């Protein structure tokens, strides 16, 4: 079997759902199980409607009902389909009334709220597939074996899901059924709806693929795969044909927004290949992610940047050789729940980079107790994912590019992952750095 996951933009309207039907049809022989996101920006709209209900007491599901009913019409679906989704819209309205009265929106309520997006999309798309002669069966994730812990808004699946998912899906696939499953959501042991976190339906797909020992997990997006750089910065960026799980995870972490760093995890464990494809351009080969890829002549695979980074230089006030300095510094970050991206150390100093969204106020006093601290805002991390066995060549070329373009490199680190070389530049020079590095390594 294979898993095919279609994201929000791939099922954003009737036209897109038609396109998806054609894509699925070409793969029917491979026994696909489908995973769908909510249509378009429905998840955001659901959260907005709850915010409005809470702030103003006004309950409106117009935007959400409007999109879904319009899509039913575009797809010329029978009135029974609307009858099937009306109770969901009614339930959503009641929930929003509750939010408007209670004026509170816990993570648990939020998960229940956003679940309507995926539940609506699988019912509409499933009905259309059926109307087009595909043997579809719309399923809520909990009916497909997804049981999670009660960590609302970022739930993890319970171990038993791994047996339940194939036990439910395999017989269906063997009968020739096309399961169309909600991504993103699950239920906990008490029957409460949970979500796997924003963007979580990629993970739903890779979980099913791993649990069912799929031949492949296809993740359909609106770009031609993982690109050599962000196309908004480098219009000439090209899709990368193949990357390892490790490379894909590093790329995701350091700014390529195609896949969430966690999304590949389940498939990495079982060695299931993940194929990133473009539903707007199905002919494009896409990017294949697997454990070993053929060596290419290119030393560099892709260049990413992560904007709005803060750099902190921490210099020990004690003498050289003081033991436990690193431990003390990192204990402060850990205590404040701050995740550090890049680190460079000497015996008496540490430089770390972190996302500028962290509030440093509670953390700095603790750091200044043990060290001299300098905070530098307005930085960016530029990351080169490439063959680290050629790191001398890559770094030498990268530095000369920076030098020629008057881009000051303020910190360098080569990740232990062996695939990433990162450096810090001023944020206003980040795009310039990516453009010039891309020209150096790819043009
Ligand atoms: N619909 C959810 C979101 O927008 C899950 C997903 O699309 O992966 O975050
Ligand atoms: Mg979405």
């Amino acid at each position: 079997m294979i898993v095919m996951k279609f994201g929000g933009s791939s099922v954003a309207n009737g036209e897109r759902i038609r396109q998806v039907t054609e894509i699925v049809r070409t793969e029917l022989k491979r026994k696909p199980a489908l995973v769908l996101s909510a249509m378009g920006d429905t998840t955001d709209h659901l959260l907005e409607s709850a915010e409005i209900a809470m702030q103003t007491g006004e309950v409106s599901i117009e935007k959400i009902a409007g999109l879904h009913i319009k899509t039913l019409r575009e797809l010329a679906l029978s009135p029974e389909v609307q009858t099937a989704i009306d109770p969901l819209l009614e339930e959503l309205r009641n929930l929003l009334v509750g939010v408007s009265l209670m004026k509170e929106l816990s993570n648990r309520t939020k998960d229940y709220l956003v679940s309507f997006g995926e539940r609506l999309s699988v019912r509409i798309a499933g009905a259309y597939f059926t109307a087009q002669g595909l043997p579809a069966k719309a399923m809520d994730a909990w009916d497909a074996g997804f049981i999670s812990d009660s960590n609302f808004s970022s739930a993890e699946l319970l171990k038993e899901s791994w047996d339940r998912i194939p036990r439910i899906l395999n017989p269906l696939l063997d009968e020739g059924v096309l399961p169309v499953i909600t991504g993103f959501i699950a239920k906990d042991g008490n029957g409460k709806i949970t979500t796997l976190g924003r963007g979580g339906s990629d993970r739903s797909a890779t979980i099913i693929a791993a649990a069912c020992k799929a031949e492949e997990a296809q993740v359909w997006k609106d770009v031609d795969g993982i690109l050599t750089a962000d196309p908004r910065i480098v219009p000439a960026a090209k899709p990368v044909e193949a990357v390892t799980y490790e490379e894909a995870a590093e790329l995701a972490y350091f700014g390529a927004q195609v896949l969430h760093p966690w999304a590949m995890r389940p498939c990495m464990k079982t060695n299931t290949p993940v194929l990133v494809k473009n539903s707007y351009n199905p002919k494009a080969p896409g990017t294949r992610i697997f454990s070993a890829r053929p060596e290419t002549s290119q030393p560099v695979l892709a260049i990413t940047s992560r904007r709005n980074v803060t750099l902190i230089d921490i210099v020990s006030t004690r003498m050289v050789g003081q033991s436990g300095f690193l431990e003390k510094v990192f204990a402060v970050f850990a205590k404040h729940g701050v995740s550090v991206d890049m680190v460079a150390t000497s015996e008496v100093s540490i430089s770390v980079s972190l996302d500028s969204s962290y509030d440093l106020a509670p953390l700095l006093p603790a750091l200044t107790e043990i060290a001299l601290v300098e905070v530098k805002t307005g930085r960016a991390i530029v990351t080169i994912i490439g063959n680290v066995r050629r790191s001398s060549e890559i770094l030498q070329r990268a530095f000369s590019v920076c030098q020629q373009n008057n881009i000051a490199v303020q910190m360098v680190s080569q990740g232990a992952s062996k695939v990433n070389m990162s450096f810090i530049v001023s944020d206003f020079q980040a795009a310039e750095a990516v453009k010039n590095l891309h020209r150096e390594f790819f043009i």
Side-chain angles (χ1 to χ4, degrees), residues 8 37-38 40 43 118 198:
S37 289
T43 309
E118 271 70 9
R198 290 305 304 268

Side-chain angles (χ1 to χ4, degrees), residues 115-306:
S115 75
F116 287 95
E118 271 70 9
R119 290 198 276 163
L120 287 164
S121 77
V122 297
R123 282 165 176 76
I124 293 175
Y128 183 70
F129 298 150
T130 305
Q132 294 303 301
L134 305 184
K137 177 181 164 73
M139 297 175 82
D140 292 321
W142 44 87
D143 293 327
F146 279 70
I147 293 205
S148 75
D149 59 21
S150 304
N151 217 333
F152 296 100
S153 88
S154 52
E156 283 288 341
L157 288 202
L158 299 185
K159 270 210 193 75
E160 57 215 79
S161 305
W162 291 87
D163 291 332
R164 291 168 55 122
I165 293 169
R167 221 188 303 134
I168 295 171
L169 293 183
N170 284 339
L172 290 175
L173 293 165
D174 287 340
E175 281 166 35
V177 172
L178 173 70
V180 183
I181 306 158
T182 55
F184 183 44
I185 59 179
K187 267 187 185 172
D188 72 3
N190 301 320
K192 300 285 178 235
I193 296 178
T194 59
T195 67
L196 310 184
R198 290 305 304 268
S201 39
D202 285 349
R203 202 165 150 79
S204 307
T206 55
I207 287 168
I208 295 176
C212 295
K213 305 200 167 47
E215 196 186 317
E216 161 179 295
Q218 301 178 354
V219 181
W220 290 80
K221 307 250 164 194
D222 53 9
V223 286
D224 281 346
I226 295 178
L227 303 181
T228 50
D230 182 339
R232 287 166 300 185
I233 303 174
V234 182
K238 290 185 290 268
V240 182
E241 214 178 291
V243 298
T244 63
Y245 296 112
E246 198 179 26
E247 289 162 344
E250 294 277 322
L251 271 163
Y253 189 73
F254 285 102
Q257 271 158 8
V258 180
L259 279 178
H260 192 273
W262 289 102
M264 271 88 56
R265 273 282 184 100
C267 283
M268 196 168 165
K269 280 199 198 141
T270 50
N271 249 320
T272 313
V274 178
L275 184 60
V276 183
K277 293 273 289 177
N278 187 355
S279 74
Y280 288 72
N281 182 18
K283 290 214 177 78
T287 299
R288 183 169 287 277
I289 308 171
F290 45 9
S291 52
R293 64 176 173 84
E295 180 107 22
T296 56
S297 55
Q298 295 264 39
V300 170
L301 213 59
I303 298 159
T304 60
S305 59
R306 183 142 144 186

Side-chain angles (χ1 to χ4, degrees), residues 316-337:
S316 170
T317 43
R318 297 279 199 80
M319 305 245 295
V320 173
Q322 185 208 4
S323 66
F325 178 54
L326 287 178
E327 186 189 343
K328 282 190 196 129
V329 168
F330 283 103
V332 174
F333 290 118
K335 182 165 167 240
H336 292 85

